[in-house]
Amino acid sequence: MVVPELRPWRAARPHVVRIADAVRPRLARAAATAKPRVTRLVRAGKPQVARVTLPKTWQYTAGAATAGLALAAGVVTAAGPWDSSGQRTAERDRAAALGRAGGTDHGGTSGAPGRPRPAPSADPVLTGLGGVSTVKSAPDGKALAKALTPLLKDPALGPRPAAAVVDVTTGRRLYGAHPDAAFTPASTTKIATAVAALSAMGADHRLTTRAALEPDTKEVVLVGGGDPTLTAREKAEGWASLRTLAAGTAAALADRGVREVTLSYDTTLYSGPRMHPIGVNPNLALVSPLMADEGRTDDSTSGPVTRVTDPAEDAARQFGDLLKSHGIKTTAPGPSKATTRAQTLAAVSSPPLSALVERMLTNSDNDIAEALARQTAIATGHRADFAGADKAISAQLRRLGLPLKGAAFKDGSGLNRADRLTPDLLTALLAKAADPSHPELRPALTGLPVAGFTGTLTSRYTDGAAGVVRAKTGTLTGVNTLAGTLVDEDGRLLAFAFMTTDTDPGNPAATQRALDRAATTLAACGCG
């Protein structure tokens, strides 16, 4: 049984209006002065702790010495199509409200009965992304061990939790507890999927859906290009629109004097089984290169929900209905394959891969994850199925020089319990994404949910390291993981990974709280 970890994504836009020009000075001020505002420190626990793996000085990235907090000086205002998911908008609004207590204004007195608690200000995480580090020394490994080891003894974390903490500036591991142990990673697998896809295709790559006409038979074939974000909704909100594709197709047919066609759909881009090994599950649809709105049966855009039985047929049926609304009569759609003679009538493309990665990570979107795993396989000459994606992701990460001992990628989403990652690999992925020599990987960081603000961390850290931690969550029954970046008390950007297994399936909230305490303590450590 899988414990759904996805929640409907909430932009959480504050009721404060600021023009963009007013934001930049505040961000600059925040970058110069802000420190994490952790309101409660976690108790250190017992002073006597068991011996743990000592920090090592292994370099994760060749260019890590110059990485640090220079993830790109203008990343907050320049890098990545954040507006496609609302993430940049939400953070800008939060940053614009820095002059107000708590980072936003709900009207009336803060904390008054019947009113929501003010959200925290976003300056620490914005500083971590766009600031320049002036800290000369990394946190002390022994001090980190003293702070973290007692927390990892929490029974809620199971019998053998594993962890790693890395200084992004130098790539040096500062703390490790079984850092090379391979665990079921759950949805933190998506970090690996993101890095592999961005490495293989580049941040500007787009996925195209097209309609083609077979000239001899007047058959219109809807050809799936693997875009899981294709939408049939009236408001496309920047994603590729099935309505736009239908309108363009109808116009092109009308120009040819064609008013009646046979309608087919082509899903041959992918190979192998469409069903994920977990079977029918509300966390994802059948894996298909053709789908509209992820085969959802309601108006949701994220989170678990019942899916249509055949996403490709459903998308083609909707496409046919849209053609009819433009005066083109069609048959009921059936599967086919576009020939080399087929003439493209119209096409629509997804936003760039950077936007897809950010949406995948922020919402923990399994459909996008499985699509990107297959696209990585196609881009690197592997078979577009689960096994081919495994080989492709492994090959891309190996090419980047990442530590793959014990790793296995049986899917792209992390829903498969046979997946394996280590804390070393997760922190190495994050450090590599920060490497200035690999700017194409940056969306693997900018897409991470922000504690207390976005995605799967929206409702977490409300009284802890909100705005300081960016992290990907991972939750299956008895499995809880957390991996991401944070800005410590001295302004240092750290990458961390906490992995657990055999946790109490009846109390996953306790495990989440224990993981959050560890991240909060790391942010508040001041262990320099």
Side-chain angles (χ1 to χ4, degrees), residues 80-81 197-198 201-207 349-355 439-440 443:
L198 291 164
M201 294 174 279
D204 295 328
H205 183 76
R206 297 172 187 261
L207 308 178
S349 294
S350 71
L353 183 59
S354 54
E440 74 282 2

Side-chain angles (χ1 to χ4, degrees), residues 289-323:
L290 177 62
M291 61 174 62
D293 300 302
E294 299 181 336
R296 295 174 176 274
T297 54
D298 62 10
D299 61 355
S300 65
T301 57
S302 65
V305 69
T306 301
R307 310 304 179 97
V308 298
T309 56
D310 188 337
E313 190 278 335
D314 175 72
R317 177 189 56 77
Q318 293 188 70
F319 183 68
D321 291 342
L322 292 168
L323 287 179

Side-chain angles (χ1 to χ4, degrees), residues 61-71 168-171 434-437:
T61 60
T66 57
L69 299 183
L71 298 183
V168 175
T169 302
T170 63
D435 188 340
S437 67

Side-chain angles (χ1 to χ4, degrees), residues 13-75:
R13 181 182 300 208
H15 301 296
V16 179
V17 178
R18 294 285 192 276
I19 60 173
D21 290 341
V23 173
R24 291 192 175 116
R26 294 182 180 275
L27 292 179
R29 186 175 70 226
T33 64
K35 288 186 178 181
R37 300 177 180 178
V38 180
T39 61
R40 294 195 310 181
L41 300 181
V42 181
R43 294 181 179 178
K46 296 181 180 180
Q48 299 299 323
V49 297
R51 181 177 299 175
V52 296
T53 304
L54 293 176
K56 297 180 180 179
T57 57
W58 176 48
Q59 291 287 51
Y60 287 124
T61 60
T66 57
L69 299 183
L71 298 183
V75 68

